[in-house]
Amino acid sequence: MFRLLCRFLVITASSLLLSGSVYWENVYLTSTDFRFPVVRIAAETEKHPVVLIFGGIHGDEPGAYLAAEKLAEARLTKGTLILLPRVNFYSIMKNVRGFFGDMNRKFEDENFSSLSDPDRRIVSILKNLMGEADVFINLHDAWGFHARSPGTFGQSLIIDGAKALFPKNGQPIDIEALGGEAVRRANKELPRAQRFALWNHRTDEKQEDLRLEEMKSSASYFAYKSFQIPSFGLEVSKNISSDQTKVKHHLLVLRELFRALGVQFESFPDSKVLPPELRGIELSGPKGRFFLPPGSALNLSSPGPYSVTRIWGNRRFGWSVKLAGKDGENLLDKPFLLREGENLTLFVGHDFDQIGKGTLRVAPPPSLSVTLDGRPMEIPLGMVLSLRPGETISFDTEESTLWEKIDLKGFQPPDRINRSDDRGHPVSADKMQRRFALDTEGRYFPLYGKKGQKTTFFALLEILEEDLSPASFR
Ligand SMILES: [Zn+2]
């Protein structure tokens, strides 16, 4: 029963209307080790064709999943992208092709994988998403250069057969011609040695090559056969050593495929992938929400169930959390127990790297006196304090043995002499400089108490705004 309930459990992380393009993000299988995001970006009026794109069905193909992540920056004027930037995140965290076997060989039928196989739940969701799509593209990295050595998969655009329907239930389409055109155009921008080739597997036929026979249970063949939609496998060579270049090649062929399919863009992403940078961890517990800066220790006044609800960093996808002594590979959204006398170390990962940590313990936290809209109150260490539109907050100027100044990032006090101490100055949302926020939307601003160079206090100011959710999404 629990499994059934969890199966399509979805949380909406955010939705935004950005200059005519609608952005919508859901997380599937939340509160499990297998949670993965699904992003929808749609033009405001002309929502077809709908192109479904998988990145990271194989966990050791960073070019594929980083390219899908970059596509989340696109803004459309015609069509819809449904992006899965981390399909097989469990295997990505381990940097292996498939921790529970090859997920891309589990689409043939429900009996192909055993009931206890965690991939089964993911594959079932993936098949449902195909039902929404007019076109399907599965991104991969593979060895070799197909144009030079035809047995290898690298630098190829794979199709399962020459004809499909497009849009759904509409006109037959020559995908061989369409894919061939995309490849020809992309190749104009590549050196001869790195050119792509179109490869028709003719998956319907009996295959001599066992690797091609296996494709009968792949995602792309399932989409082609069951939904009769144009379906592509895009393979960038693993022999290209730089992930940045792999992403560039993925985006180059995708751009030409989108053009051939009639998807139009207001802006198309560049291929630059920033190294991950951790900015903060959000926890939820019995007494509210808390902020833990990287490398810090957080005293919490009460034991009980806590969960990590958000990671702030310079990258949107790929984050995970582990706790020393607690079971599980990814504890994001999963409640855990913090006991009296216990020191819990929390490790933050990005894809397969560990990049930061923090500590939790039950101990009396220091607190800062503030006045929020005329009401005096105490905010304990780490607290996330919300400021509504029109409200003001000011930090008490009373002497403290713990800190000499309070510095709210993104706030410039009017007093130019003592510019790094923000005590005594009323703060409101309109005075905050958004580029100093932890998040790209510009809503979360850390504040630090300092004694000399040492950080002796921290908390987080959240700026609440009008709801930006679009009225509907189709
Ligand atoms: Zn692959």
Side-chain angles (χ1 to χ4, degrees):
M1 189 58 195
F2 182 67
R3 167 166 297 189
L4 272 178
L5 281 174
C6 282
R7 193 160 178 172
F8 296 112
L9 195 61
V10 167
I11 60 158
T12 299
S14 63
S15 59
L16 288 168
L17 186 61
L18 293 164
S19 54
S21 213
V22 184
Y23 181 100
W24 194 270
E25 196 177 307
N26 301 115
V27 177
Y28 282 74
L29 300 177
T30 180
S31 304
T32 76
D33 279 349
F34 310 100
R35 72 195 297 284
F36 66 95
V38 175
V39 172
R40 288 173 169 79
I41 311 167
E44 203 175 354
T45 49
E46 283 191 84
K47 299 201 190 296
H48 286 275
V50 178
V51 186
L52 173 67
I53 298 172
F54 291 175
I57 198 166
H58 291 141
D60 60 348
E61 298 177 4
Y65 59 77
L66 297 174
E69 173 177 344
K70 285 301 294 185
L71 278 178
E73 294 171 16
R75 299 294 169 254
L76 280 73
T77 51
K78 186 173 184 294
T80 300
L81 301 184
I82 305 177
L83 304 171
L84 280 68
R86 298 291 189 280
V87 172
N88 191 351
F89 191 50
Y90 197 93
S91 296
I92 290 171
M93 288 190 288
K94 312 263 181 206
N95 200 23
V96 296
R97 180 175 174 88
F99 191 82
F100 301 99
D102 191 334
M103 190 186 282
N104 200 31
R105 302 289 179 272
K106 297 181 183 179
F107 284 79
E108 190 171 31
D109 63 56
E110 293 288 334
N111 300 324
F112 195 83
S113 59
S114 80
L115 278 169
S116 59
D117 183 351
D119 287 356
R120 194 184 161 87
R121 287 192 284 172
I122 300 174
V123 167
S124 160
I125 294 166
L126 301 180
K127 286 179 174 176
N128 277 316
L129 289 169
M130 285 173 183
E132 291 181 46
D134 299 321
V135 180
F136 170 63
I137 306 170
N138 202 356
L139 305 181
H140 294 272
D141 302 344
W143 291 108
F145 295 86
H146 184 80
R148 289 188 272 152
S149 43
T152 60
F153 280 65
Q155 303 299 88
S156 72
L157 180 64
I158 294 169
I159 56 176
D160 292 281
K163 296 273 190 297
L165 294 177
F166 175 79
K168 214 184 298 176
N169 309 323
Q171 297 294 309
I173 181 173
D174 185 342
I175 46 179
E176 205 164 41
L178 188 145
E181 173 65 12
V183 163
R184 261 190 306 282
R185 293 185 73 115
N187 281 343
K188 286 184 191 160
E189 296 181 34
L190 291 172
R192 180 172 288 278
Q194 296 183 341
R195 284 185 186 164
F196 281 82
L198 185 83
W199 186 8
N200 185 350
H201 277 182
R202 297 182 175 81
T203 314
D204 276 327
E205 298 167 18
K206 175 91 189 100
Q207 302 287 340
E208 297 282 312
D209 186 336
L210 195 65
R211 296 173 311 159
L212 302 195
E213 184 64 24
E214 278 186 357
M215 293 301 167
K216 289 191 165 77
S217 46
S218 69
S220 66
Y221 184 62
F222 186 85
Y224 175 74
K225 186 188 65 170
S226 303
F227 295 100
Q228 299 185 17
I229 56 173
S231 177
F232 301 90
L234 175 54
E235 310 261 1
V236 166
S237 181
K238 283 187 176 179
N239 297 74
I240 294 167
S241 56
S242 142
D243 288 346
Q244 193 82 55
T245 308
K246 289 188 192 111
V247 170
K248 192 175 161 192
H249 287 201
H250 272 292
L251 293 177
L252 174 62
V253 178
L254 283 168
R255 192 189 71 198
E256 296 306 332
L257 257 182
F258 292 142
R259 187 204 301 269
L261 292 163
V263 182
Q264 288 168 14
F265 292 86
E266 181 188 296
S267 62
F268 194 77
D270 60 35
S271 56
K272 182 140 187 63
V273 180
L274 297 170
E277 177 198 311
L278 174 65
R279 295 175 184 158
I281 300 155
E282 185 190 58
L283 294 144
S284 175
K287 299 242 170 104
R289 289 181 299 148
F290 294 90
F291 163 61
L292 176 60
S296 306
L298 177 57
N299 291 359
L300 293 157
S301 63
S302 54
Y306 285 86
S307 60
V308 175
T309 42
R310 193 191 324 229
I311 304 289
W312 285 288
N314 64 341
R315 297 275 297 278
R316 196 177 267 278
F317 308 109
W319 300 103
S320 63
V321 174
K322 275 198 209 187
L323 272 161
K326 305 277 174 193
D327 286 339
E329 295 299 319
N330 189 3
L331 282 162
L332 259 175
D333 302 330
K334 247 195 236 180
F336 59 88
L337 206 57
L338 177 67
R339 297 182 179 87
E340 295 275 3
E342 191 176 37
N343 261 320
L344 276 185
T345 305
L346 204 140
F347 299 97
V348 176
H350 187 267
D351 291 334
F352 50 89
D353 285 327
Q354 187 202 302
I355 66 161
K357 60 182 179 180
T359 310
L360 306 175
R361 60 182 170 233
V362 182
S367 65
L368 170 70
S369 306
V370 304
T371 305
L372 177 62
D373 238 31
R375 306 181 308 271
M377 63 184 286
E378 293 286 311
I379 60 171
L381 181 73
M383 187 180 174
V384 179
L385 186 72
S386 302
L387 194 64
R388 292 183 179 77
E391 283 185 336
T392 58
I393 185 172
S394 62
F395 313 114
D396 219 324
T397 49
E398 207 172 287
E399 284 292 308
S400 166
T401 53
L402 257 183
W403 51 79
E404 291 154 354
K405 59 186 183 187
I406 294 290
D407 180 17
L408 173 64
K409 297 288 165 196
F411 177 71
Q412 184 88 298
D415 169 7
R416 291 202 153 264
I417 301 152
N418 198 6
R419 53 198 307 167
S420 64
D421 191 3
D422 299 332
R423 290 180 297 174
H425 301 289
V427 176
S428 52
D430 57 302
K431 289 183 180 153
M432 301 307 297
Q433 293 176 279
R434 291 181 172 233
R435 67 177 190 278
F436 293 99
L438 293 183
D439 60 319
T440 47
E441 278 83 38
R443 291 181 50 205
Y444 295 91
F445 297 90
L447 71 90
Y448 297 104
K450 296 267 188 188
K451 190 165 191 174
Q453 291 303 304
K454 223 177 150 212
T455 300
T456 51
F457 187 84
F458 52 83
L460 192 68
L461 190 67
E462 176 189 45
I463 306 293
L464 294 178
E465 291 180 86
E466 321 278 299
D467 187 13
L468 290 172
S469 312
S472 64
F473 180 86
R474 278 176 206 92

